[in-house]
Amino acid sequence: MLRTHTCGELNLENLNTDVTLCGWVQRSRDLGGMTFIDLRDRYGLTQLVFNMEDNPELCSRARELGREFVIKARGTVVERSNKNPKMPTGDIEIKASELEVLNVSKVPPFIIEDETDGGEDLRAKYRYLDLRRGIVRKNLEIRHKLAAETRRYLDRQDFIEVETPVLIKSTPEGARDFVVPSRMNPGEFYALPQSPQTFKQLLMVSGMDRYFQIVKCFRDEDLRADRQPEFTQIDCEMSFVTRDDILQTFEGLINHLFREIKGRDIGHLPHISYADAMRKYGNDKPDTRFGMTFTELKSTLGETDLTGGKGFKVFDDAGLVAGICVEGAAGYTRKQLDELTEWVKRPQIGATGLVYARYNNDGTVKSSVDKFYDENDLQKWVQAFGAREGDLMLVLAGEPAKTRKALSELRLEMGNRLGLRPKDTFQALWVVDFPLLEWDEETARWHAMHHPFTSPVPGDIHLLESDPGRVRANAYDMVINGNEVGGGSIRIHDKTLQQKMFNVLGFSPEDAQSQFGFLMDAFEFGAPPHGGIAFGFDRLCAIFSGLDSIRDVIAFPKNNSGRDVMIDSPSRISKEQLDELQINVK
Amino acid sequence: MLRTHTCGELNLENLNTDVTLCGWVQRSRDLGGMTFIDLRDRYGLTQLVFNMEDNPELCSRARELGREFVIKARGTVVERSNKNPKMPTGDIEIKASELEVLNVSKVPPFIIEDETDGGEDLRAKYRYLDLRRGIVRKNLEIRHKLAAETRRYLDRQDFIEVETPVLIKSTPEGARDFVVPSRMNPGEFYALPQSPQTFKQLLMVSGMDRYFQIVKCFRDEDLRADRQPEFTQIDCEMSFVTRDDILQTFEGLINHLFREIKGRDIGHLPHISYADAMRKYGNDKPDTRFGMTFTELKSTLGETDLTGGKGFKVFDDAGLVAGICVEGAAGYTRKQLDELTEWVKRPQIGATGLVYARYNNDGTVKSSVDKFYDENDLQKWVQAFGAREGDLMLVLAGEPAKTRKALSELRLEMGNRLGLRPKDTFQALWVVDFPLLEWDEETARWHAMHHPFTSPVPGDIHLLESDPGRVRANAYDMVINGNEVGGGSIRIHDKTLQQKMFNVLGFSPEDAQSQFGFLMDAFEFGAPPHGGIAFGFDRLCAIFSGLDSIRDVIAFPKNNSGRDVMIDSPSRISKEQLDELQINVK
């Protein structure tokens, strides 16, 4: 190695050692007859000191070094007079005796420190410089550790990692495929996998018993914020298991990751049914770092109604009246409440208005609907909400699904405003018992909420043909801090049930065969009961790094138009290439 | 879990335990009033026994089970009367008390045992059944272990695994790219990476210091035997290193892998120069499991000539006369030697003829060219070859490069015939000092033998412009048993040298910028000295599995036309898909 040590490891134990370090010039300061240079590498920063009196030639050369020059410096480890307790190497410095410039650098387009002056676009173009910033590099290190610990855990549990193909076959189901024209088979195309779903099921048919893979997947979707055309999954499948075996195995995985990487014990993951999650949080990926669960003043089935018969038409006409109780917020000003009302009325939230009721410290209730509800009525609300003096009740009303969605947004917003969603707190849970099917008004048929191979909950199978909408899927999502980080299901392995399922979905036997033929065929040769899960690895990395965007945990991400602005891709290709592939661009 | 144990773990220690196993019916035998079933899962085989006398209903149901039915069986572990020492579970059997059929199976299209009656095409179509065979599954298990141990070793050495993008940019250099039309950027294409070469160099510029990735790569080449359009690399790069640091690090890796997976110590890897490898083995990836190195009777530079002036025109006209000494083969019959002569004359070997000389046990030499060379001449050959009585000397002559190639093939063939190339012996070495450039007659210019970023050996830099053909590359290949398993180089990190290199390669500064612009730009911001290596992971797996073809170590391989015959891909895509991508098929 060109160096004897890295820039992150020297301390008082190394005093008087002759060392050679390599790295980048982070910062340079001249102070009297001395020049101090902070030398940076992946492992840390070490201060080099050059002395004009001792060695004017060397010190002069040091003074000529620019930011980001790559140097090799030799010297002796000495104790620092003004120690820097914030730096792991802050007790020492290197009294330099030799200096070699390994490479020069132009002035970088932005400052390469945690706090930078570079805008997002500039940093994207010079991503290789952005990655030099410790704060960015750290994310890739956490990602590496997450992958390594995932593999370690699954390996111990007898999972084997099997690479499935990237050049596969386009299928009409699911999102849009990226396709790859085949030169050897003109007019034909491969597709890039949206997930290795069928291959992992085939691996179960092949007796692989426990499979996993950390694998790139691809979806050609219009990129909403925080989607990437290529993303990474932790993809897993197991044979001879029930749902609870899978939940237990992957509760173990997530516990292992939090323990090894964050030093946290997140404990047992509670289960919540889809129905409860929607009722209590209005959301199938509830953020359970805080409470503020929904209270229904008027429930959809009418068992509860604390609002009717008082002449308030908005509530009387509503399918659902529900609200949240914001702790200690009774002091919100009229201005703040007006602003909140405007907030819930924004199109992306979609509420028609906001009703509030302050439960004052003196025990009285003051609401925006005092015209319709008297103190007695409102005290019933207080009881329903379980409110305490000083709390603020915020109530929405309308069509149940829309109301829940809006109230969920309001809950999250209030959580943010009250600081109840800290990035270093982690609450994980399982959401279970999803509906198997959803009715599509447009095509007037049932659609599989996950995919047609998802098994119903065993006790609901008898409803499949008589009352499809009530059948629950044997499916589950893992949710952390309001993010769906993983999801999966027990699969159908029985041919008769699979046939029934296709029937319910409106497939003719011919269509089923033409679309899912090779998997259906495989199922005829002894498919074991099996199920699995896939985790969104980028999202998991973002959560562990305390980041909102997955873009920050990807070394070379693409922008919202699917472009890599650093390498300027995609790009035109030559006529020869198109001719060889026998395709034309329109 | 549906089972209490796997089919590979029960033994005498589990006697009288009540167990439940799940798996596939491998074999079924009725013997007197008993029915024996071998139940198979990934972990092994366990014998179930059903007794017609004890439980006629159960036993009758067991008799109806077909091959590859998936069952769940409960019973008690009992000692076997006729133990099977070949099976890890062969001391016990399960006296069955319950039986549940989890899934039925059609009769499989071939026998699912190590010895099968299924031909290659049939097994490819039903790959998921082929993978049930222990002998095939074992290869994927070794592959998993190789990946896991590679990661473990590199992780310990501070390498971090960084995922580089799969959707990148097409470049005119190298092999043919697979391309992916971009829907969001009509008329433009991504390319799939042939290797992450530029990205790993950018990661070094970004200060990542030590990078690796086990990563899929893609080449749209005409598929010769044992090439796959998608293949896997162990891709690595390090900063602040010299060649020997890299060789040492990856000698460590390969030693680690052999130790952990094969329980073998393959020791220190010898270095051989490209020039020596060509002279001694006629091959830049010599199989060093056996000697039989070349002896030059007439060398290319004329220092040695034991053949001239005797009137044998074939040798007199030859640029090189060289041979191998085959130990103990003097007894080869005339018929065998004629057959060998025909063998070397086949077009794929390309020799014009074969001269042999037997060094008989009585000390005399008898050759096919006795007309030209007397006993005295031939004794000089014997000395040159270091032959011992009973050896056979085989000599080829002609244009040096062609002669070396043919003699290399002959050497490997004789190695095979003499059983000197056992699959469970491993000889690894480094080939170093490759030529940096090769002259291309067609375009009349120098080409980079690796790629234009490969650094010359430091001592040869001064020859770059004056005598480019003599410049050695600071490049290296790791060779095991005659297979190139990995290769890499120290890269150029100095802009002036890079410019010189492009100049020698005949690039205009504009062309250099347009083709390698973003990497060149990155090099201006403080690129550290760096170098790396990439291993062909499929080949490595094949060597560890004792297999000749990489296809056998890939879960779902493609055939020679790039087709996956199991899923029938590539395939036509819909007009809607083509329209969205704004492309036409010609």
Side-chain angles (χ1 to χ4, degrees):
Chain A
M1 299 288 297
L2 302 186
R3 65 195 174 206
T4 57
H5 295 77
T6 70
C7 296
E9 63 179 309
L10 295 169
N11 56 42
L12 289 174
E13 287 178 22
N14 306 96
L15 280 190
N16 303 318
T17 312
D18 181 27
V19 300
T20 304
L21 301 183
C22 293
W24 285 261
V25 173
Q26 169 90 10
R27 216 177 287 114
S28 172
R29 294 179 307 285
D30 299 334
L31 213 70
M34 321 273 271
T35 294
F36 298 92
I37 286 176
D38 283 350
L39 191 65
R40 184 195 70 234
D41 66 12
R42 183 182 122 200
Y43 311 93
L45 282 173
T46 299
Q47 177 164 294
L48 310 176
V49 55
F50 299 81
N51 191 321
M52 192 52 97
E53 209 162 294
D54 293 356
N55 193 335
E57 184 270 338
L58 188 71
C59 191
S60 303
R61 285 203 292 124
R63 286 185 179 186
E64 279 161 27
L65 297 173
R67 274 188 179 239
E68 301 306 317
F69 275 42
V70 187
I71 62 168
K72 175 172 144 180
R74 186 175 169 183
T76 308
V77 182
V78 298
E79 187 163 2
R80 262 164 88 159
S81 48
N82 60 333
K83 298 197 171 58
N84 183 344
K86 283 188 201 152
M87 280 169 72
T89 64
D91 288 346
I92 57 96
E93 62 193 6
I94 312 299
K95 196 164 176 297
S97 57
E98 290 176 23
L99 172 65
E100 185 186 339
V101 176
L102 297 174
N103 219 338
V104 296
S105 172
K106 294 204 291 193
V107 175
F110 50 86
I111 295 174
I112 298 182
E113 301 197 13
D114 286 358
E115 295 286 321
T116 180
D117 55 350
E120 202 171 320
D121 291 349
L122 197 63
R123 285 185 292 117
K125 180 164 159 47
Y126 295 94
R127 179 67 173 166
Y128 48 88
L129 296 181
D130 199 26
L131 287 173
R132 282 190 192 162
R133 297 164 60 224
I135 208 170
V136 180
R137 195 192 54 239
K138 195 198 71 211
N139 302 331
L140 295 190
E141 288 172 347
I142 290 176
R143 186 179 180 111
H144 165 70
K145 275 189 209 148
L146 273 166
E149 289 300 335
T150 297
R151 288 190 164 98
R152 199 150 73 95
Y153 175 85
L154 293 173
D155 190 60
R156 275 194 217 145
Q157 306 268 335
D158 279 334
F159 283 80
I160 82 165
E161 187 163 22
V162 179
E163 293 175 58
T164 54
V166 177
L167 296 172
I168 65 163
K169 185 176 180 160
S170 192
T171 55
E173 288 289 302
R176 207 182 281 109
D177 285 325
F178 281 107
V179 297
V180 181
S182 165
R183 181 182 54 86
M184 293 180 79
N185 305 276
E188 298 191 326
F189 294 75
Y190 302 100
L192 304 183
Q194 295 181 30
S195 92
Q197 182 65 32
T198 48
F199 289 98
K200 71 176 174 177
Q201 292 194 246
L202 288 173
L203 286 171
M204 293 303 102
V205 175
S206 79
M208 216 48 75
D209 203 68
R210 297 182 164 205
Y211 144 91
F212 85 101
Q213 189 181 190
I214 300 184
V215 60
K216 275 277 173 73
C217 299
F218 306 86
R219 273 177 211 176
D220 185 12
E221 291 179 292
D222 295 323
L223 301 173
R224 283 180 275 145
D226 220 27
R227 283 276 181 103
Q228 287 280 313
E230 51 180 300
F231 55 97
T232 304
Q233 275 188 3
I234 305 173
D235 193 51
C236 308
E237 198 81 3
M238 304 171 81
S239 290
F240 302 117
V241 288
T242 62
R243 184 196 77 172
D244 286 346
D245 297 319
I246 296 186
L247 299 193
Q248 201 182 319
T249 303
F250 292 97
E251 175 169 325
L253 170 64
I254 204 74
N255 265 284
H256 175 81
L257 295 178
F258 272 102
R259 209 158 38 232
E260 294 297 323
I261 288 151
K262 307 291 286 184
R264 298 284 184 91
D265 181 7
I266 60 159
H268 175 62
L269 270 60
H271 296 190
I272 185 171
S273 72
Y274 172 85
D276 280 351
M278 294 310 288
R279 246 191 326 260
K280 289 191 185 166
Y281 299 95
N283 199 319
D284 62 359
K285 40 180 201 278
D287 185 347
T288 53
R289 277 173 295 186
F290 65 109
M292 225 188 272
T293 51
F294 296 3
T295 294
E296 298 189 348
L297 296 181
K298 176 182 177 184
S299 66
T300 51
L301 296 176
E303 322 91 289
T304 308
D305 186 4
L306 301 177
T307 63
K310 303 291 175 172
F312 186 40
K313 202 169 165 353
V314 174
F315 282 7
D316 289 347
D317 291 350
L320 174 72
V321 179
I324 53 176
C325 176
V326 187
E327 212 179 302
Y332 256 51
T333 62
R334 179 61 192 260
K335 197 177 154 208
Q336 283 175 305
L337 288 162
D338 286 348
E339 184 264 326
L340 258 192
T341 305
E342 286 314 305
W343 190 91
V344 298
K345 285 163 81 176
R346 299 187 319 165
Q348 58 268 52
I349 310 300
T352 48
L354 174 69
V355 166
Y356 64 82
R358 292 194 185 91
Y359 188 26
N360 296 316
N361 286 323
D362 62 6
T364 61
V365 189
K366 180 80 192 143
S367 84
S368 56
V369 286
D370 284 355
K371 222 193 293 179
F372 305 102
Y373 301 97
D374 63 21
E375 181 77 18
N376 192 32
D377 297 329
L378 294 174
Q379 286 295 348
K380 284 188 194 142
W381 292 17
V382 164
Q383 275 179 27
F385 276 105
R388 287 182 305 179
E389 288 168 4
D391 290 353
L392 173 71
M393 293 162 273
L394 298 173
V395 180
L396 300 181
E399 189 275 318
K402 277 174 92 169
T403 304
R404 287 192 172 118
K405 183 181 167 299
L407 191 56
S408 169
E409 295 293 338
L410 179 61
R411 173 179 174 270
L412 295 173
E413 175 66 16
M414 295 312 294
N416 283 338
R417 293 188 185 194
L418 271 63
L420 299 175
R421 306 176 70 192
K423 286 204 191 315
D424 59 347
T425 297
F426 303 96
Q427 288 292 338
L429 72 156
W430 290 109
V431 180
V432 298
D433 292 343
F434 286 84
L436 182 69
L437 303 158
E438 42 190 4
W439 182 254
D440 185 54
E441 290 293 345
E442 208 172 307
T443 58
R445 69 175 186 93
W446 293 103
H447 276 264
M449 198 157 165
H450 286 77
H451 53 64
F453 297 97
T454 303
S455 174
V457 165
D460 290 0
I461 293 180
H462 68 283
L463 298 169
L464 196 54
E465 279 162 322
S466 57
D467 193 357
R470 275 185 57 207
V471 179
R472 289 165 300 167
N474 210 343
Y476 31 81
D477 280 355
M478 187 188 285
V479 173
I480 301 178
N481 291 4
N483 298 285
E484 180 209 322
V485 297
S489 64
I490 296 293
R491 326 298 180 187
I492 296 173
H493 69 281
D494 175 81
K495 217 193 144 189
T496 320
L497 180 56
Q498 187 65 63
Q499 223 91 53
K500 230 182 239 175
M501 181 74 178
F502 280 130
N503 198 27
V504 171
L505 293 171
F507 282 78
S508 70
E510 296 73 33
D511 284 356
Q513 182 62 30
S514 82
Q515 287 192 33
F516 303 104
F518 69 92
L519 189 57
M520 293 287 283
D521 291 349
F523 278 8
E524 298 206 296
F525 291 101
H530 63 287
I533 192 168
F535 290 89
F537 187 58
D538 305 294
R539 173 60 53 204
L540 206 58
C541 291
I543 290 172
F544 272 76
S545 296
L547 295 167
D548 291 322
S549 168
I550 63 168
R551 202 173 292 169
D552 295 326
V553 296
I554 295 173
F556 301 104
K558 294 185 176 54
N559 72 10
N560 274 348
S561 323
R563 296 201 74 81
D564 182 329
V565 295
M566 181 186 71
I567 63 172
D568 192 25
S569 160
S571 60
R572 302 207 166 266
I573 58 173
S574 69
K575 189 172 174 311
E576 290 72 34
Q577 282 176 292
L578 292 170
D579 288 346
E580 278 197 313
L581 296 170
Q582 305 199 24
I583 58 172
N584 284 323
V585 171
K586 278 186 200 169
Chain B
M1 298 288 299
L2 303 187
R3 66 194 173 207
T4 58
H5 295 78
T6 71
C7 295
E9 63 180 307
L10 295 170
N11 56 41
L12 289 175
E13 286 178 22
N14 306 95
L15 280 189
N16 303 320
T17 313
D18 181 28
V19 300
T20 303
L21 301 184
C22 292
W24 286 261
V25 174
Q26 169 91 9
R27 215 178 287 118
S28 171
R29 293 180 306 287
D30 298 335
L31 213 69
M34 320 273 270
T35 292
F36 298 92
I37 286 176
D38 283 349
L39 191 66
R40 185 195 69 234
D41 67 10
R42 182 182 124 202
Y43 311 94
L45 281 173
T46 299
Q47 179 165 295
L48 309 177
V49 56
F50 299 82
N51 192 321
M52 192 54 95
E53 209 160 299
D54 293 357
N55 193 335
E57 185 271 338
L58 190 71
C59 191
S60 303
R61 286 204 289 124
R63 286 187 179 185
E64 279 161 27
L65 297 173
R67 276 189 178 238
E68 302 306 318
F69 275 42
V70 186
I71 63 168
K72 175 172 143 180
R74 187 176 168 182
T76 309
V77 181
V78 298
E79 188 163 1
R80 263 166 87 160
S81 48
N82 60 335
K83 298 198 171 57
N84 182 345
K86 281 187 201 151
M87 279 170 72
T89 65
D91 287 345
I92 58 97
E93 61 193 7
I94 312 299
K95 197 164 176 294
S97 57
E98 289 176 23
L99 171 66
E100 185 186 338
V101 176
L102 297 174
N103 219 336
V104 297
S105 174
K106 294 203 293 194
V107 175
F110 51 85
I111 296 175
I112 298 182
E113 301 199 12
D114 286 359
E115 294 286 322
T116 180
D117 57 349
E120 201 171 321
D121 290 348
L122 196 63
R123 287 185 290 116
K125 182 164 158 49
Y126 295 95
R127 179 65 172 169
Y128 49 86
L129 296 180
D130 198 27
L131 288 173
R132 282 192 193 161
R133 297 165 60 223
I135 208 171
V136 180
R137 196 192 52 239
K138 196 198 70 210
N139 302 331
L140 296 190
E141 288 174 347
I142 291 176
R143 187 180 179 111
H144 165 70
K145 276 189 209 148
L146 273 166
E149 290 299 335
T150 297
R151 288 192 164 97
R152 200 151 72 96
Y153 175 85
L154 292 174
D155 190 60
R156 276 194 215 144
Q157 306 269 334
D158 280 334
F159 283 79
I160 82 165
E161 186 162 22
V162 179
E163 293 175 59
T164 54
V166 177
L167 297 171
I168 65 162
K169 185 179 181 158
S170 191
T171 55
E173 288 289 301
R176 208 181 280 109
D177 285 325
F178 281 107
V179 297
V180 181
S182 166
R183 182 182 54 85
M184 294 181 78
N185 304 275
E188 299 191 324
F189 293 75
Y190 301 101
L192 304 181
Q194 297 181 27
S195 92
Q197 182 66 31
T198 48
F199 289 97
K200 70 176 173 175
Q201 292 196 245
L202 288 173
L203 285 171
M204 293 303 103
V205 175
S206 79
M208 216 48 75
D209 203 67
R210 295 181 166 205
Y211 145 91
F212 84 102
Q213 191 181 188
I214 300 184
V215 61
K216 276 277 175 73
C217 300
F218 306 86
R219 274 178 209 174
D220 184 12
E221 290 179 292
D222 296 323
L223 300 174
R224 285 180 275 143
D226 220 27
R227 284 274 182 103
Q228 287 281 314
E230 52 180 299
F231 56 96
T232 304
Q233 276 188 3
I234 307 172
D235 193 51
C236 308
E237 198 81 3
M238 305 171 81
S239 291
F240 302 118
V241 288
T242 63
R243 185 195 77 173
D244 286 346
D245 297 319
I246 295 186
L247 299 193
Q248 201 182 319
T249 302
F250 293 96
E251 174 171 325
L253 171 63
I254 204 75
N255 265 282
H256 175 80
L257 295 178
F258 272 102
R259 207 158 39 231
E260 293 297 322
I261 287 153
K262 307 292 284 184
R264 299 286 184 90
D265 181 6
I266 59 159
H268 176 61
L269 271 59
H271 296 189
I272 186 172
S273 72
Y274 172 85
D276 281 351
M278 294 311 287
R279 245 191 328 259
K280 287 191 186 168
Y281 299 95
N283 201 318
D284 62 0
K285 38 181 201 279
D287 185 346
T288 52
R289 277 174 295 186
F290 64 109
M292 224 188 272
T293 52
F294 296 2
T295 295
E296 299 188 348
L297 297 179
K298 177 183 176 181
S299 65
T300 50
L301 296 176
E303 321 92 291
T304 309
D305 188 1
L306 300 176
T307 63
K310 303 291 177 171
F312 185 41
K313 202 166 164 353
V314 173
F315 282 8
D316 289 347
D317 291 349
L320 174 71
V321 179
I324 54 175
C325 177
V326 187
E327 213 179 300
Y332 257 48
T333 63
R334 181 58 193 261
K335 197 180 156 206
Q336 284 176 303
L337 289 163
D338 284 349
E339 185 264 324
L340 259 191
T341 306
E342 287 314 304
W343 191 91
V344 297
K345 284 161 83 175
R346 300 188 317 166
Q348 57 270 50
I349 310 300
T352 48
L354 174 69
V355 167
Y356 64 83
R358 291 193 184 93
Y359 188 25
N360 296 315
N361 285 324
D362 63 5
T364 61
V365 189
K366 181 76 193 147
S367 83
S368 58
V369 286
D370 283 357
K371 221 194 293 182
F372 305 103
Y373 301 97
D374 62 19
E375 181 75 22
N376 192 33
D377 296 330
L378 294 174
Q379 286 295 346
K380 283 186 192 143
W381 290 18
V382 165
Q383 276 181 26
F385 273 105
R388 286 182 305 178
E389 287 165 5
D391 288 355
L392 173 70
M393 291 162 275
L394 298 173
V395 179
L396 299 181
E399 189 274 319
K402 278 174 90 167
T403 303
R404 287 191 171 119
K405 183 181 167 299
L407 191 56
S408 169
E409 295 293 338
L410 179 60
R411 174 180 173 270
L412 294 172
E413 175 67 14
M414 296 312 294
N416 283 340
R417 294 189 183 194
L418 271 63
L420 301 175
R421 306 176 72 192
K423 287 206 193 309
D424 59 346
T425 298
F426 302 97
Q427 288 292 338
L429 73 156
W430 290 108
V431 180
V432 298
D433 292 344
F434 285 83
L436 182 68
L437 303 159
E438 42 191 3
W439 182 254
D440 185 54
E441 290 292 346
E442 207 173 306
T443 57
R445 69 174 184 94
W446 292 104
H447 276 264
M449 198 159 167
H450 286 77
H451 53 64
F453 297 97
T454 303
S455 174
V457 164
D460 289 359
I461 293 180
H462 67 283
L463 298 169
L464 196 54
E465 280 163 320
S466 56
D467 194 356
R470 277 184 57 208
V471 178
R472 289 164 301 169
N474 210 344
Y476 31 80
D477 280 356
M478 186 189 285
V479 173
I480 300 178
N481 292 3
N483 298 285
E484 181 207 320
V485 296
S489 64
I490 295 294
R491 327 297 181 186
I492 297 172
H493 69 280
D494 175 80
K495 216 194 147 188
T496 320
L497 180 56
Q498 187 66 62
Q499 221 91 53
K500 232 184 236 175
M501 182 73 177
F502 280 129
N503 199 25
V504 171
L505 293 171
F507 282 77
S508 69
E510 296 73 34
D511 284 356
Q513 183 61 30
S514 84
Q515 288 193 30
F516 303 104
F518 69 92
L519 189 57
M520 293 286 284
D521 290 351
F523 279 8
E524 296 205 297
F525 291 100
H530 63 287
I533 192 165
F535 290 88
F537 187 58
D538 306 293
R539 173 59 54 203
L540 206 59
C541 291
I543 291 172
F544 272 76
S545 295
L547 295 167
D548 289 324
S549 167
I550 63 168
R551 203 172 292 169
D552 296 325
V553 297
I554 295 173
F556 300 103
K558 293 184 176 57
N559 73 9
N560 275 348
S561 322
R563 294 201 76 81
D564 182 328
V565 296
M566 181 185 72
I567 61 171
D568 192 25
S569 159
S571 60
R572 302 207 167 264
I573 59 174
S574 69
K575 189 174 173 308
E576 290 70 34
Q577 282 176 291
L578 291 170
D579 287 347
E580 278 198 314
L581 297 170
Q582 305 200 22
I583 58 171
N584 285 324
V585 170
K586 279 188 200 168

